[in-house]
Amino acid sequence: MTEAVSREERVAALREARVVLVSACLIGEACRFDGRSKRSERVLAALEDKEIVPVCPEVGGGLPIPRAPVELSGGTGVDVWAGRARALEREAGVDRTDAFLRGARLALEAARKFGATVALLKEKSPSCGTQRVYEAGVLRDGEGITAALLRSEGITVLSDEDL
């Protein structure tokens, strides 16, 4: 894992970026598990002069809208990539790890294709959480599956809560 980057450094990178990968729900796409968006005026203002690449890794990975909520089990996104944790539906326990991994890879591919150096993601998401995610019903420190991959590939990752 790369060295920790302070909130101030992440926000500065966002200010300087020309192209930003962004969680689609933050710009008003109704793609969340509950079929809603998490449109954020702070996010829209921060992206005002940027080229944006909207992504929803979960939908990109093949999951429907709406869908059963998913939480990480056995660790964080880093642990999922290491094979030590999984992404499971909260109620039924159905394993959705493969879809989450597929969506994360597609998000990375989109970032590379369009030259995004920064990703602005939805905090607490099992895909996009940058500092906190739900694991087995508990909000804990750690990052989601997509955030972990993007960060490991040198993309500066920050969340809506950093703004």
Side-chain angles (χ1 to χ4, degrees):
M1 192 160 130
T2 59
E3 198 173 307
V5 179
S6 74
R7 177 189 168 277
E8 292 76 22
E9 291 170 309
R10 293 189 309 270
V11 171
L14 174 63
R15 276 196 302 270
E16 295 167 12
R18 184 180 61 79
V19 181
V20 178
L21 190 80
V22 61
S23 292
C25 64
L26 292 174
I27 60 170
E29 285 291 320
C31 57
R32 286 173 41 89
F33 74 93
D34 58 6
R36 299 169 65 192
S37 80
K38 278 289 184 177
R39 180 183 166 102
S40 166
E41 297 306 319
R42 284 188 321 214
V43 167
L44 292 170
L47 296 172
E48 199 169 50
D49 61 342
K50 312 287 182 201
E51 292 180 42
I52 62 168
V53 180
V55 297
C56 176
E58 296 169 25
V59 174
L63 297 176
I65 306 166
R67 58 191 167 276
V70 170
E71 292 183 348
L72 302 179
S73 177
T76 66
V78 171
D79 299 307
V80 170
W81 287 107
R84 297 184 300 260
R86 308 296 292 164
L88 305 177
E89 287 184 5
R90 187 182 303 150
E91 298 298 320
V94 176
D95 192 329
R96 297 296 184 198
T97 306
D98 288 344
F100 275 70
L101 294 173
R102 188 168 42 253
R105 288 185 190 106
L106 287 172
L108 175 60
E109 188 178 308
R112 286 180 173 157
K113 179 177 181 177
F114 293 101
T117 56
V118 173
L120 179 53
L121 305 175
K122 180 69 188 112
E123 195 62 80
K124 303 177 193 164
S125 157
S127 293
C128 296
T130 68
Q131 297 168 54
R132 294 174 295 146
V133 291
Y134 283 96
E135 186 216 345
V138 177
L139 188 61
R140 65 171 281 190
D141 290 342
E143 57 196 348
I145 295 168
T146 297
L149 179 63
L150 295 173
R151 189 183 325 271
S152 76
E153 293 292 324
I155 294 174
T156 300
V157 176
L158 72 160
S159 85
D160 55 316
E161 295 182 9
D162 285 323
L163 302 179

